[in-house]
């Protein structure tokens, strides 16, 4: 899935189109035979900016997006490319129900590279539009309450025509969602929103499931969305979690410990896991619950860490772990500390088999999260020196170059990083910091 957006001052979709052209070119030179009958599917998600609300402008926006991304596309050509092995599926969402002057004052807008030319108000942005857009249809500022409704009619037509695979909305509140269901004959299939909306704004989620739900107040809102055919795409999960590193350090540390828990060597585990970051834990948890996520990173290393392949390979979280993740996220979103309730029964408390231990015998629920950054050009493995016997115990599998691994350790632990040839690269002494975290660089 490639998520993009269309604005008159940004060449983002053109860049996406160039990348897809290279993909088509390299695919055409591949060794696989077209007669194999297999087709690769690529999903493109385009957005209707608030400047293009209204029936005519929305039609123009979709056509411009597809022309930029898939050169040579016409409204009657469908979504498949001329290649026999590539199939493009196009999805569209209305990005905002109307323009808000406050949008131009936000830090997101001021820092966004998608808007190289900055404006100070909706009216100023309207005046700066190109002539083709202005004459295509009336300004959405003339009728702010109904412009998006005419856009939805255009998207429904494109969906029924087969041009669009699915349609949806983003940043719609309860009032606008109610209005959407009053006029819609199809969808919405997609709702793009924040992590806060998903976990805290139950009224919005209730409106998304309202037409089909027999009971509005459901305990599992995400499950209700899936059951009623609405795919929620969370746009800010990564940034929301990272904000909690300093605003809610205890909650963030809980997520880190959970990720590090999966980095220890287990003879019964044949995966390549070497620990997950707090962001990976949350993204994986959302994906396992059927929520789409956008990591939103400019780092190739983070892109690899948060790739679909990595998230899909993460172990399934237990019900207890899922509860702890959700509790931590609620604490982060509310800017609070986290208090994970202990719900073990008396029998479980006295059963040694139910307590997970690190090699030195400490309980895994506590400890310090140690992150190892591998800046070398070869894999490294982390070993612990047993405090009594001096025996070296392997704690992690290979951490690839340019990546990081996470483990749960204890204060005063002595750790050694070895490369693939068994050469000791560096020795570390764990000293506890304020929030139970410590970082090591292998260089």
């Amino acid at each position: 899935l490639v998520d993009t957006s269309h604005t008159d001052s940004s060449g983002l979709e053109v860049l996406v189109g160039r990348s897809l052209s290279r993909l088509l070119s390299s695919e055409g030179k591949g060794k696989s035979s077209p007669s194999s009958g297999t087709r690769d599917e690529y999903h493109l998600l385009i957005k209707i900016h608030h400047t293009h609300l209204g029936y005519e402008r929305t039609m123009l926006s979709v056509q411009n997006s597809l022309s930029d991304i898939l050169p040579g596309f016409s409204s009657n050509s469908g979504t498949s490319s001329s290649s026999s092995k590539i199939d493009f599926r196009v999805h569209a969402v209305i990005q905002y129900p109307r323009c808000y002057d406050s949008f131009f004052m936000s830090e997101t807008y001021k820092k966004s590279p998608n808007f190289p030319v900055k404006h100070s108000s909706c009216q100023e942005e309207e005046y700066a539009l190109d002539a083709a857009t202005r004459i295509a249809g009336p300004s959405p500022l003339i009728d702010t309450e109904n412009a998006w409704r005419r856009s939805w009619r255009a998207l429904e037509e494109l969906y029924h025509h087969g041009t669009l695979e699915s349609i949806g909305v983003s940043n719609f509140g309860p009032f606008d969602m109610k209005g959407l269901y009053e006029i819609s004959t199809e969808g919405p299939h997609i709702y793009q929103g924040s992590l806060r909306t998903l976990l805290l704004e139950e009224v919005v989620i209730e409106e998304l499931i309202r037409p089909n739900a027999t009971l509005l107040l459901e305990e599992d809102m995400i499950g209700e969305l899936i059951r009623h055919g609405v795919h929620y795409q969370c746009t800010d999960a990564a940034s929301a979690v990272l904000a909690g590193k300093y605003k809610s350090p205890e909650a963030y540390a809980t997520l880190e410990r959970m990720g590090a828990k999966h980095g220890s060597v287990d003879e019964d585990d044949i995966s390549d896991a070497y620990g997950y970051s707090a962001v990976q834990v949350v993204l994986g948890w959302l994906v396992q619950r059927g929520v789409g996520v956008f990591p939103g990173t400019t780092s190739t290393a983070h892109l690899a860490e948060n790739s679909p392949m990595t998230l899909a390979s993460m172990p399934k979280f237990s019900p207890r772990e899922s509860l702890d993740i959700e509790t931590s996220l609620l604490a982060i979103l509310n800017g609070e500390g986290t208090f994970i309730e202990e719900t073990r029964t008396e029998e479980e408390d006295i059963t040694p088999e139910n307590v997970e231990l690190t090699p030195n015998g400490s309980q895994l629920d506590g400890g310090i999260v140690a992150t190892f950054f591998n800046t070398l050009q070869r894999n490294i493995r982390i070993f612990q020196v047993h405090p009594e016997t001096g025996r070296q115990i392997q704690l992690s599998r290979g951490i690839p170059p340019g990546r990081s691994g996470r483990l749960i350790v204890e204060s005063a632990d002595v750790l050694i990083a070895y490369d693939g040839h068994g050469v000791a690269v560096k020795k570390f002494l764990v000293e506890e910091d304020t929030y139970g975290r410590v970082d090591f660089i292998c260089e």
Side-chain angles (χ1 to χ4, degrees):
L1 172 66
V2 179
D3 178 73
T4 183
S5 61
H6 176 75
T7 58
D8 290 331
S9 59
S10 172
L12 177 61
E13 291 183 332
V14 175
L15 294 176
V16 172
R18 290 175 183 172
S19 298
L20 291 176
S21 295
R22 294 192 187 100
L23 173 68
L24 289 172
S25 176
S26 61
E27 188 276 340
K29 298 175 183 178
K31 296 181 180 180
S32 57
S33 171
S35 61
S36 63
T38 60
R39 295 177 67 87
D40 292 329
E41 253 184 30
Y42 291 88
H43 293 261
L44 308 171
L45 196 148
I46 61 177
K47 298 187 182 73
I48 312 303
H49 194 52
H50 56 240
T51 54
H52 287 69
L53 293 176
Y55 180 88
E56 297 85 357
R57 288 194 181 190
T58 293
M59 286 292 194
L60 177 65
S61 177
V62 172
Q63 183 60 55
N64 287 343
S65 293
L66 295 177
S67 297
D68 287 342
I69 299 173
L70 304 175
F73 180 94
S74 68
S75 59
N76 297 318
S77 64
T79 55
S80 296
S81 75
S82 57
S83 168
S84 61
K85 293 184 292 179
I86 298 290
D87 194 11
F88 291 107
R89 304 297 178 92
V90 182
H91 313 259
V93 300
I94 299 175
Q95 193 167 13
Y96 292 95
R98 61 190 58 82
C99 181
Y100 301 96
D101 282 332
S102 58
F103 171 77
F104 302 95
M105 304 302 294
S106 66
E107 289 300 316
T108 300
Y109 173 77
K110 293 177 181 179
K111 296 179 180 180
S112 174
N114 294 337
F115 304 97
V117 179
K118 306 298 182 184
H119 302 290
S120 60
S121 68
C122 299
Q123 194 65 60
E124 180 182 312
E125 185 183 42
E126 174 69 21
Y127 287 147
L129 289 174
D130 62 282
T133 300
R134 292 200 305 272
I135 65 175
S139 167
L141 301 180
I142 297 174
D143 186 3
T144 58
E145 294 306 312
N146 292 298
W148 68 261
R149 288 174 166 84
R150 292 187 283 272
S151 288
W152 188 255
R153 181 161 62 88
L155 292 186
E156 285 186 325
E157 288 186 14
L158 292 170
Y159 171 77
H160 289 300
H161 178 268
T163 302
L164 300 176
E165 181 79 5
S166 68
I167 55 179
V169 295
S170 175
N171 302 298
F172 272 49
F175 177 79
D176 290 316
M177 285 306 306
K178 182 178 180 180
L180 175 61
Y181 278 123
E182 290 175 352
I183 66 167
S184 68
T185 61
E186 186 64 47
H189 310 118
I190 300 170
Y191 185 91
Q192 284 193 347
S194 66
L195 187 63
R196 174 175 293 276
T197 297
L198 181 64
L199 297 182
L200 292 176
E201 298 178 16
E202 292 186 356
V203 178
V204 176
I205 306 303
E206 288 171 10
E207 284 297 335
L208 283 170
I209 64 177
R210 180 181 59 82
N212 304 308
T214 56
L215 182 63
L216 292 183
L217 297 176
E218 294 285 345
E219 184 175 345
D220 182 9
M221 286 295 184
I222 298 177
E224 281 300 297
L225 286 175
I226 297 171
R227 281 191 287 275
H228 297 300
V230 181
H231 179 50
Y232 195 101
Q233 295 179 334
C234 188
T235 58
D236 69 342
S239 59
V241 173
L242 290 174
K245 186 172 185 177
Y246 303 104
K247 294 181 179 179
S248 304
E250 293 178 3
Y252 188 86
T254 298
L255 297 173
E256 281 194 314
R257 281 195 295 272
M258 194 169 297
K261 177 180 177 180
H262 294 286
S264 301
V265 172
D266 185 343
E267 293 180 358
D268 298 326
D269 182 8
I270 59 173
S271 69
D272 293 326
Y274 38 86
Y276 299 101
S277 67
V279 170
Q280 285 176 297
V281 168
V282 173
L283 295 182
W285 176 74
L286 289 171
V287 169
Q288 289 178 15
R289 300 190 71 186
V291 176
V293 295
F294 297 103
T297 179
T298 57
S299 164
T300 53
H302 290 163
L303 192 61
E305 282 189 354
N306 302 324
S307 68
M309 185 178 298
T310 300
L311 297 181
S313 66
M314 291 181 68
K316 186 172 178 61
F317 294 109
S318 67
R320 173 57 190 268
E321 289 176 324
S322 292
L323 178 61
D324 288 352
I325 292 172
E326 186 167 359
T327 302
S328 298
L329 286 177
L330 291 174
I332 287 174
L333 293 173
N334 290 319
E336 304 169 348
T338 180
F339 301 94
I340 307 298
E341 271 190 68
E342 287 295 333
T343 57
R344 293 191 182 101
T345 64
E346 183 178 350
E347 180 181 359
E348 288 175 324
D349 281 335
I350 62 174
T351 305
E353 289 78 11
N354 289 335
V355 180
E356 195 164 2
L357 303 177
T358 58
N360 64 10
S362 60
Q363 290 192 18
L364 196 54
D365 284 343
I368 301 170
V369 176
T371 301
F372 298 85
F373 299 93
N374 184 9
T375 64
L376 303 174
Q377 298 300 312
R378 54 193 185 276
N379 286 5
I380 60 168
R381 292 175 297 164
I382 307 300
F383 286 74
Q384 177 200 13
V385 179
H386 195 282
E388 297 178 0
T389 65
R391 177 170 171 260
Q392 295 188 15
I393 306 166
Q394 184 175 345
L395 298 184
S396 77
R397 290 184 174 82
I399 302 174
R403 301 287 293 276
S404 58
R406 296 161 187 85
L407 297 168
I408 295 179
V409 296
E410 294 294 326
S411 179
D413 276 355
V414 176
L415 308 172
I416 303 176
Y418 286 93
D419 65 13
H421 301 290
V423 177
V425 175
K426 201 166 185 178
K427 192 173 185 179
F428 308 99
L429 175 64
V430 179
E431 297 178 348
E432 185 171 5
D433 74 347
T434 308
Y435 300 116
R437 294 195 302 268
V438 63
D439 295 337
F440 295 123
I441 298 178
C442 300
E443 55 187 0

